[in-house]
């Protein structure tokens, strides 16, 4: 059994290595380049400046050029990679003069650092999650090999990390460890891993409420006050202690702390930048938000609607705590944040995909469909990075690995759900047709962004349906019986 997991792990790493050979975000696009340069620039800044200056504008740190806008753990990771870069070739991280470097050797170095994160964080975390899923939900046929294959070859994460260039593998890996710890009743470990995830990328806030509701509800359910107090104090000191350690360089002054927070939550950047498959970008088609509502007002509207969309699922989790409800609440909360919150990026859909994969044992067909939609929603971004060929190749591999293989085995189930099958077929045909249109039909000069817009609106419609679906599953009796 263990040899199967190892085989899948190495296959998944090979797949990533192959995708690494392709282009990346901002390649050859001076003067700003893209995410690849952003990550390199953070190595340059963290290696050359004291921690206090990492998040502040100054003569040696121009925040308008890819200023650091992720929490401290990302900065420390950049520092570590930057020190390694210095050993390899110090020209990679020289202050200012290294900007825009993208030689073959440098690309190879950068790609290797992502693969290292895959090998040492993401893949092991996924193995642990798959094993904990199987141990917890044996009765519902959660199968560790199947889950691990899905987690390891899900094209969205591979394309964004090893193609576009980011390190979502670290934050998602830490979040997956936290989920696994919840399933395995290790609440201190869950608090520890999740706090690390949150300190790597603030987008992990999409996952925060279900962890909070689950852990609070669990501590409150202790019979004696003493054990309640011990567990609550334990979790609180882990979370606060970790925050204090990671934020130590800035905690000395209020201004410095506020400056870091300001970098992490830049209200000034507007409700969305590129076309993204969320509610506001679709709504913007019929009602131009920027002409009517100021940024600050918009931020409050986003906060209100997001809270409205996430509170019921988390309150339900709090009162009806079960591990199955936890996974559903995680999916619903992440989807609601993606649809309604402020400053959403296309890549944030990966945060919804992680809980979606965890729901696979109960709803295989629905969740594979969701994962396809999630990759579809990122197609404009992937096309900008010249990654369409790897995208299509990975989707074909994914499709065959899961749809054909898994559903053939479960023929009986297939007959039961004919309506759903037809809906999925229609949706998939629609997505393929739009993709073909996007590739073959030139947009008119009047509507240059028409294809990305169509892709965003169609994906947004799908994600809204999935959010309603998730709510129905969580609140219906069916889901209670399934736990
Ligand atoms: C930040 O510093 C750079 C140069 O050091 C300067 O050009 C820029 O205007 C500054 N930006 C802000 C917002 O102060
Ligand atoms: C270091 O990188 C620079 C380009 O950034 C290259 O010109 C130089 O040859 C490299 N040095 C070594 C020792 O590889």
């Amino acid at each position: 059994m263990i040899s199967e997991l190892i085989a899948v792990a190495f296959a998944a790493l090979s797949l990533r290595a192959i995708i690494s050979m392709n282009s990346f975000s901002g390649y050859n696009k001076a003067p700003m380049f893209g995410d690849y340069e952003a990550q390199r620039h953070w190595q340059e800044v963290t290696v050359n400046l004291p921690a206090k200056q990492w998040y502040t504008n100054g003569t040696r740190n121009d925040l308008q050029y890819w200023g650091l806008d992720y929490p401290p753990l990302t900065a420390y990771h950049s520092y570590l990679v930057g020190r390694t870069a210095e050993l390899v070739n110090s020209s990679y991280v020289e202050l200012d003069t290294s900007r825009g470097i993208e030689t073959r050797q440098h690309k190879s170095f950068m790609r290797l650092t992502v693969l290292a994160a895959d090998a040492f964080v993401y893949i092991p975390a996924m193995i642990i999650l798959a094993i904990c899923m199987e141990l917890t939900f044996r009765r519902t046929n959660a199968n560790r090999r199947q889950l691990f294959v899905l987690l390891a070859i899900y094209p969205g994460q591979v394309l964004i990390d090893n193609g576009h260039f980011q390190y979502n593998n670290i934050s998602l890996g830490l979040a997956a460890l936290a989920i696994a710890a919840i399933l395995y009743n290790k609440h201190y470990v869950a608090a520890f891993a999740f706090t690390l995830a949150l300190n790597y990328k603030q987008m992990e806030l999409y996952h925060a409420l279900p962890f909070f509701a689950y852990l609070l509800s669990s501590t409150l359910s202790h019979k004696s006050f003493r054990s309640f107090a011990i567990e609550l104090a334990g979790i609180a000191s882990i979370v606060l202690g970790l925050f204090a350690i990671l934020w130590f360089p800035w905690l000395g002054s209020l201004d410095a702390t506020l400056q870091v927070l300001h970098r992490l939550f830049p209200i000034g950047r507007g409700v969305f930048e590129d076309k993204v498959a969320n509610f506001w970008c679709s709504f913007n088609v019929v009602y131009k938000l920027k002409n009517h509502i100021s940024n600050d007002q918009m931020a409050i509207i986003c906060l209100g609607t997001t809270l409205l969309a996430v509170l019921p699922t988390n309150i339900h989790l709090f009162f009806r705590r079960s591990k199955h409800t936890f996974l559903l609440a995680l999916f619903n909360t992440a989807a609601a944040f993606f649809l309604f919150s402020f400053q959403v990026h296309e890549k944030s859909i990966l945060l919804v995909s992680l809980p979606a994969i965890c729901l696979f044992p109960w709803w295989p067909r629905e969740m594979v469909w969701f994962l396809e939609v999630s990759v579809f929603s990122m197609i404009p971004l992937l096309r900008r990075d010249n990654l369409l060929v790897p995208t299509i190749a990975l989707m074909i591999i994914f499709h065959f690995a899961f749809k054909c293989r898994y559903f053939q085995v479960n023929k009986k189930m297939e007959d039961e759900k004919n309506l759903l099958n037809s809906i999925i077929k229609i949706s998939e045909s629609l997505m393929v047709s739009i993709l073909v249109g996007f590739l073959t039909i030139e947009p008119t000069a009047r509507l240059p962004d028409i294809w990305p817009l169509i892709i965003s609106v169609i994906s947004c419609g799908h994600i809204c349906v999935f959010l309603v679906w998730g709510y129905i599953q969580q609140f219906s009796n069916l889901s209670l019986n399934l736990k």
Side-chain angles (χ1 to χ4, degrees):
M1 281 313 269
I2 219 58
S3 62
E4 276 181 344
L5 293 184
I6 293 174
V8 176
F10 278 93
L13 280 176
S14 319
L15 205 62
R16 284 166 167 76
I18 295 167
I19 297 302
S20 293
M21 294 183 217
N22 288 279
S23 177
F24 50 78
S25 159
Y27 176 67
N28 228 340
K29 288 192 186 127
M32 277 309 274
F33 307 94
D35 273 6
Y36 176 92
E37 167 64 8
Q39 298 283 351
R40 192 211 56 76
H41 179 64
W42 299 340
Q43 297 164 19
E44 168 199 334
V45 167
T46 50
V47 165
N48 288 294
L49 303 178
K52 265 214 159 70
Q53 294 177 22
W54 291 351
Y55 291 92
T56 25
N57 200 41
T59 46
R60 302 176 71 201
N61 186 17
D62 180 4
L63 289 185
Q64 263 149 24
Y65 186 80
W66 297 114
L68 190 51
D69 53 6
Y70 283 129
L73 195 54
T74 288
Y76 300 134
H77 177 231
S78 299
Y79 176 82
L80 205 71
V81 176
R83 282 279 174 236
T84 317
E86 228 172 12
L87 294 179
V88 176
N89 183 335
S90 60
S91 77
Y92 293 172
V93 287
E94 243 155 53
L95 198 61
D96 294 335
T97 54
S98 60
R99 283 191 186 184
I101 183 171
E102 44 186 23
T103 57
R104 271 186 75 91
Q105 291 96 327
H106 184 253
K107 177 182 171 191
S108 149
F109 168 76
M110 292 287 276
R111 292 301 205 191
L112 213 56
T113 64
V114 180
L115 278 175
D118 280 320
F120 295 111
V121 182
Y122 189 78
I123 301 274
M126 296 306 139
I127 293 182
I128 293 171
L129 178 58
I131 291 175
C132 287
M133 283 286 297
E134 185 183 275
L135 292 175
T136 314
F137 302 109
R138 226 182 260 286
R139 274 185 301 150
T140 35
N141 293 325
N143 172 309
R144 71 171 88 164
R145 181 171 38 85
Q146 224 163 44
L147 272 170
F148 179 48
V149 173
L150 194 54
L151 288 161
I153 70 164
Y154 165 56
Q157 183 265 330
V158 180
L159 288 165
I160 294 301
D161 286 353
N162 306 91
H164 174 83
F165 203 92
Q166 282 201 336
Y167 299 91
N168 294 289
N169 45 14
I170 296 185
S171 52
L172 289 174
L174 290 167
L177 281 180
I179 297 173
I182 290 274
L183 297 179
Y184 206 58
N185 297 320
K186 300 284 180 214
H187 293 173
Y188 295 142
V189 179
F192 184 82
F194 187 72
T195 309
L196 287 181
L198 192 58
N199 273 292
Y200 195 86
K201 285 202 173 193
Q202 65 273 37
M203 290 80 179
E204 279 298 329
L205 276 175
Y206 290 22
H207 291 149
L209 279 175
F211 277 98
F212 181 73
Y214 188 95
L215 290 175
L216 189 66
S217 159
S218 156
T219 47
L220 283 173
S221 70
H222 280 292
K223 295 231 165 47
S224 78
F225 179 77
R226 196 165 160 267
S227 58
F228 155 75
I230 289 176
E231 179 155 315
L232 193 66
I235 291 176
S237 36
I238 287 172
V239 174
L240 295 177
L242 257 182
F243 261 99
I245 293 170
L246 292 170
W247 286 63
F248 181 73
W250 302 275
L251 287 181
S253 100
L254 184 66
D255 278 351
T257 312
L258 289 179
Q259 172 62 15
V260 181
L261 281 174
H262 174 72
R263 291 298 304 162
L264 303 189
F265 303 100
I267 300 288
R269 277 163 71 176
V271 59
F272 54 81
E273 281 163 48
D274 290 316
K275 300 272 175 295
V276 53
N278 80 345
F279 176 79
W280 303 115
C281 187
S282 303
F283 190 61
N284 196 51
V285 176
V286 288
Y287 183 85
K288 292 280 170 255
L289 293 166
K290 278 176 188 139
N291 300 346
H292 296 95
I293 304 173
S294 80
N295 244 336
D296 295 345
Q297 285 170 327
M298 198 59 223
I300 292 171
I301 295 174
C302 289
L303 183 68
T305 43
T306 309
L307 281 180
L308 220 58
V310 299
L311 280 182
T313 174
N314 287 287
I315 293 173
H316 179 261
L317 171 64
F318 180 79
F319 287 109
R320 295 277 170 83
R321 175 173 42 91
S322 81
K323 289 167 185 170
H324 182 249
T325 312
F326 171 69
L327 296 178
L328 270 167
L330 213 51
F331 176 78
N332 292 335
T333 310
F337 264 92
F338 180 80
L339 284 173
F340 297 110
S341 67
F342 196 76
Q343 263 281 321
V344 172
H345 289 262
E346 302 95 315
K347 305 139 232 180
S348 302
I349 194 70
L350 298 181
L351 291 148
V352 196
S353 298
L354 179 65
I357 296 173
C358 297
L359 294 175
F360 177 83
W362 295 273
W363 297 282
R365 198 165 289 108
E366 289 87 338
M367 289 300 104
V368 170
W369 179 28
F370 175 83
L371 296 175
E372 289 173 354
V373 172
S374 73
V375 177
F376 177 72
S377 76
M378 294 188 289
I379 279 184
L381 169 83
L382 294 166
R383 161 137 156 170
R384 240 178 295 139
D385 297 346
N386 267 325
L387 289 169
L388 264 190
V389 173
T391 304
I392 293 168
L394 281 187
M395 284 312 285
I396 291 172
I397 295 175
F398 182 72
H399 191 87
F400 275 90
F402 268 87
K403 293 208 98 163
C404 301
R405 198 184 161 282
Y406 184 78
F407 300 128
Q408 229 94 77
V409 184
N410 295 281
K411 259 273 183 265
K412 218 174 86 209
M413 231 170 112
E414 195 137 348
D415 297 334
E416 284 167 13
K417 292 192 176 174
N418 259 327
L419 177 65
L420 178 66
N421 274 344
S422 323
I423 295 174
I424 295 180
K425 286 234 166 69
I426 293 170
S427 152
E428 285 173 347
S429 318
L430 182 67
M431 289 191 283
V432 171
S433 324
I434 292 173
L435 176 59
V436 172
F438 182 38
L439 294 182
T440 52
I441 304 173
E442 279 292 314
T444 61
R446 252 190 65 223
L447 297 167
D449 276 342
I450 189 71
W451 286 113
L453 192 64
I454 291 176
I455 291 176
S456 299
V457 173
I458 296 285
S459 311
C460 173
H462 277 85
I463 299 165
C464 287
V465 170
F466 272 104
L467 178 59
V468 173
W469 170 89
Y471 255 93
I472 294 173
Q473 299 304 334
Q474 188 179 344
F475 282 85
S476 68
N477 292 324
L478 183 75
S479 103
L480 288 177
N481 294 339
L482 266 174
K483 78 182 179 190

